[in-house]
Amino acid sequence: ADRRFRYPFINCTNCGPRFTIINGVPYDRPKTTMRDFVMCPDCSAEYLAPADRRFHSQPNACPVCGPQLMIRDRKGHNIDADDPIQAARAALAAGKILAVKGLGGYHLACDALNEAAVRSLRARKIREEKPFAVVVKDMAAVRRYCLADEKEEELLTGSCRPIVLLQKRPDCPAAPSVAPGNNFLGVMLPYTPIHFLLFEDGPPSGNGNLSDAGLTALIMTSGNISDEPIAYRDEDALTRLGGIADLFLTHNREIRHRCDDSVTRAFRGREYILRRARGYAPAPLLLAREMGQLLACGGEQKNTFCLTKDRYAFVSHHIGDMENMETLASFEEGIEFYKKLFDIKPEVIVHDLHPEYLSTKYALEQEGIPLVGVQHHHAHVAACMAENGLDDKVIGISFDGTGYGTDGHIWGGEFLVSDYLDFRRAGRLAYVPMPGGAKAVREPWRMAVGYLNRTFGPDWREICQWPAGIEDSTVSFIQAMVEKGINTPLTSSMGRLFDTVSALLGLRLAAGYEGQGAVELEQVALRTANAVTAPYD
Ligand SMILES: [Zn+2]
Ligand SMILES: [Zn+2]
């Protein structure tokens, strides 16, 4: 057999990890986390031979000289296994939860067909309702789970290998708890050799329960608890994931940069990226004009930052919700690394107008560089213009959850006549009271009180039927808050309007994650729309 048969750290110059293993530029082995592995004579010969496909492949390695897989218990002790992959497959088939070290961080994995395993992963991860992404063995298996059109198949099989949101088939065999109450499933195809080995045919040695076809779908969700950033350092992963995973399938190559899986979807034959990370970042966008060297610090939720140089905009990988110190540290490290990688010294720093965002505070702390504050939705419109190569005045419509307005209110349903420099707010959704501020995001029924009050006046309860689930006295209390204007900011947010409709329909009175009301409303709307236009059966 080939000397690399079943060795999972192979790649040529066209594939394999890059961003997640580099310490600096140029991209040479000593500046990657492969520096610890000295090439054996066979690998060196390939590396030096111009005709070899591994010529100058920086992470070139083999079982003799390269990184090694290992299986560990939740305390970090090595478990003696002839073949860590077979041990991992046996554990997955037996319903265990594994932490699997990937390219940009750890995944938590379990058999996506095993409802008990999925439920226990949910309970341990403290993620009660948010859908999990799955890695599915191959396209044939994907078609048994979901509907995939030509564009979706292109996204799934492309070299970026993102999570693609696909419509579930009615007979989708995935366990119900994988994506409860959701018509969509986030699906990836295997994208590292370790994934391919986990999906090998045949029963793992020492376990007769697995069908001859082997595993077909594994949950591979971010290795974190709740909303923390994904764990990528070995020690940190043990500490944070030791209470969740039964076993660790890991290896001794360091991950230099955290990078999540990208999430994307297709709509009418076009790609709409929801989370831009592995495979996409840090590839730049080409701008319509030169920008000079700018640093834009981004917002608070689903933060990314951006650095520009000449006509390029280097939009960072997904950093996450800037609500804790670890994400802030990841943001700061990311900025320093991109500055070094692309040789950029920002002449201007751009920040959101919200004074409490950690990204704004970061910008205000930088000394000696001029600052420009940009309204949140103007930034959304300008980003959309840049992405589509537009340079003229546009009518930009920004439907959003939250963004600090120039009048101090919370914007989010905005019609802006806009160019890159300036905007005029030509229209907006009506301002509606948001009783309790941020609390109204987690409890959409509060927004419903605000909307009903604004629409029908303070006596709305005489004419409206309130969905069951919230005590009358609690509603009265919130109604009083609205009337007296206590802790009740005003918002024109589209997200809060979706929340309101979702609450009034009795779909979602309290949200387990941000935007859940809107997500579930979309599911119901799609079911209705599909019944009319696209009967899949
Ligand atoms: Zn290759
Ligand atoms: Zn070697």
Side-chain angles (χ1 to χ4, degrees):
D2 188 279
R3 66 195 183 89
R4 291 189 178 87
F5 182 58
R6 299 187 79 256
Y7 177 66
F9 298 93
I10 57 170
N11 61 262
C12 69
T13 44
N14 292 321
C15 62
R18 188 162 290 198
F19 175 70
T20 55
I21 62 168
I22 50 174
N23 285 312
V25 280
Y27 173 60
D28 287 329
R29 191 178 181 102
K31 289 193 172 169
T32 73
T33 60
M34 285 298 291
R35 69 179 179 270
D36 305 335
F37 303 95
V38 178
M39 272 186 268
C40 68
D42 288 344
C43 287
S44 288
E46 292 163 345
Y47 182 86
L48 295 171
D52 196 285
R53 67 189 299 214
R54 293 184 170 88
F55 175 60
H56 274 228
S57 169
Q58 300 305 329
N60 193 29
C62 76
V64 174
C65 64
Q68 300 295 327
L69 273 182
M70 54 200 91
I71 203 124
R72 288 184 170 160
D73 67 17
R74 51 175 28 170
K75 297 218 155 47
H77 301 127
N78 278 334
I79 293 175
D80 199 22
D82 289 343
D83 184 340
I85 288 286
Q86 298 304 357
R89 294 178 71 221
L92 288 165
K96 298 271 193 269
I97 295 168
L98 259 69
V100 180
K101 187 174 180 181
L103 293 179
Y106 278 77
H107 282 117
L108 287 162
C110 73
D111 183 356
L113 300 180
N114 184 332
E115 174 68 6
V118 180
R119 273 175 189 269
S120 99
L121 175 56
R122 275 201 185 282
R124 294 187 203 173
K125 200 171 142 66
I126 319 176
R127 175 165 174 149
E128 283 177 10
E129 290 167 292
K130 228 170 169 176
F132 285 134
V134 293
V135 180
V136 177
K137 182 178 184 174
D138 52 28
M139 256 333 279
V142 169
R143 289 200 189 85
R144 291 199 298 276
Y145 285 71
C146 293
L147 303 163
D149 65 19
E150 209 177 311
K151 183 66 186 178
E152 288 162 338
E153 178 164 350
E154 179 193 317
L155 295 172
L156 282 166
T157 56
S159 63
C160 291
R161 291 287 159 108
I163 296 168
V164 183
L165 294 188
L166 299 177
Q167 199 179 340
K168 269 190 216 164
R169 291 178 61 97
D171 55 351
C172 176
S177 293
V178 173
N182 203 308
N183 296 340
F184 287 86
L185 193 60
V187 176
M188 283 180 277
L189 287 173
Y191 66 84
T192 72
I194 293 173
H195 297 166
F196 282 98
L197 290 172
L198 290 174
F199 285 113
E200 267 183 324
D201 288 336
S205 48
N207 184 304
N209 294 331
L210 203 65
S211 72
D212 282 347
L215 298 156
T216 59
L218 292 172
I219 284 181
M220 284 256 176
T221 187
S222 308
N224 56 12
I225 300 172
S226 207
D227 291 327
E228 292 174 355
I230 184 170
Y232 71 107
R233 292 193 182 99
D234 297 330
E235 283 304 307
D236 183 47
L238 265 181
T239 318
R240 286 163 61 199
L241 308 181
I244 302 177
D246 298 302
L247 289 171
F248 284 72
L249 177 62
T250 183
H251 58 73
N252 57 348
R253 181 172 70 198
E254 184 196 344
I255 298 173
R256 186 62 188 79
H257 303 282
R258 167 189 286 139
C259 196
D260 294 85
D261 291 316
S262 294
V263 183
T264 193
R265 73 195 297 183
F267 182 70
R268 293 184 181 160
R270 263 193 74 176
E271 179 179 19
Y272 290 85
I273 300 174
L274 301 173
R275 183 167 79 192
R276 194 174 176 278
R278 179 185 52 73
Y280 294 79
L285 286 177
L286 186 63
L287 301 173
R289 56 166 106 165
E290 289 214 3
M291 281 285 168
Q293 302 199 354
L294 311 179
L295 164 64
C297 297
E300 174 153 271
Q301 288 176 336
K302 307 180 188 80
N303 176 281
T304 57
F305 60 83
C306 178
L307 284 150
T308 62
K309 182 181 186 177
D310 305 327
R311 278 184 63 198
Y312 297 108
F314 298 95
V315 182
S316 79
H317 54 294
H318 169 86
I319 300 292
D321 295 342
M322 297 268 282
E323 287 164 350
N324 52 57
M325 294 322 284
E326 189 162 12
T327 312
L328 177 64
S330 192
F331 167 85
E332 292 179 347
E333 283 165 25
I335 290 174
E336 289 313 309
F337 181 63
Y338 275 57
K339 275 161 53 176
K340 188 167 97 175
L341 194 59
F342 301 112
D343 190 25
I344 294 173
K345 291 182 185 65
E347 298 150 346
V348 173
I349 297 182
V350 184
H351 63 83
D352 196 277
L353 292 183
H354 200 304
E356 293 303 317
Y357 281 3
L358 291 180
S359 57
T360 303
K361 290 182 173 172
Y362 167 87
L364 298 178
E365 282 165 11
Q366 308 307 306
E367 283 174 10
I369 305 177
L371 299 175
V372 176
V374 176
Q375 199 282 324
H376 192 88
H377 303 99
H378 182 212
H380 274 309
V381 171
C384 192
M385 289 169 65
E387 203 181 338
N388 290 283
L390 304 177
D391 205 20
D392 293 325
K393 225 172 193 136
V394 301
I395 300 172
I397 303 173
S398 179
F399 289 165
D400 194 18
T402 299
Y404 195 83
T406 52
D407 57 2
H409 297 315
I410 299 170
W411 293 13
E414 309 305 317
F415 295 73
L416 309 180
V417 176
S418 172
D419 56 24
Y420 286 114
L421 283 178
D422 209 357
F423 72 96
R424 182 171 63 82
R425 195 185 193 196
R428 59 168 169 84
L429 294 187
Y431 278 137
V432 174
M434 198 177 168
K439 223 171 168 193
V441 179
R442 292 189 298 275
E443 297 178 10
W445 67 270
R446 287 170 175 253
M447 279 313 301
V449 172
Y451 256 98
L452 289 169
N453 191 75
R454 186 189 178 278
T455 311
F456 299 111
D459 297 325
W460 58 269
R461 275 186 287 181
E462 288 170 15
I463 49 170
C464 298
Q465 203 190 343
W466 180 255
I470 307 293
E471 294 278 339
D472 218 41
S473 57
T474 314
V475 176
S476 298
F477 178 72
I478 297 304
Q479 173 65 25
M481 265 177 91
V482 171
E483 284 178 36
K484 291 177 189 147
I486 299 164
N487 189 17
T488 298
L490 293 177
T491 185
S492 55
S493 161
M494 180 56 93
R496 300 294 82 76
L497 176 56
F498 283 138
D499 283 351
T500 298
V501 175
S502 181
L504 289 177
L505 291 174
L507 290 174
R508 180 53 53 193
L509 296 171
Y513 57 91
E514 184 244 333
Q516 188 177 12
V519 167
E520 292 180 0
L521 183 61
E522 183 187 22
Q523 305 304 319
V524 172
L526 279 173
R527 269 198 285 276
T528 316
N530 284 338
V532 180
T533 59
Y536 293 112
D537 257 327

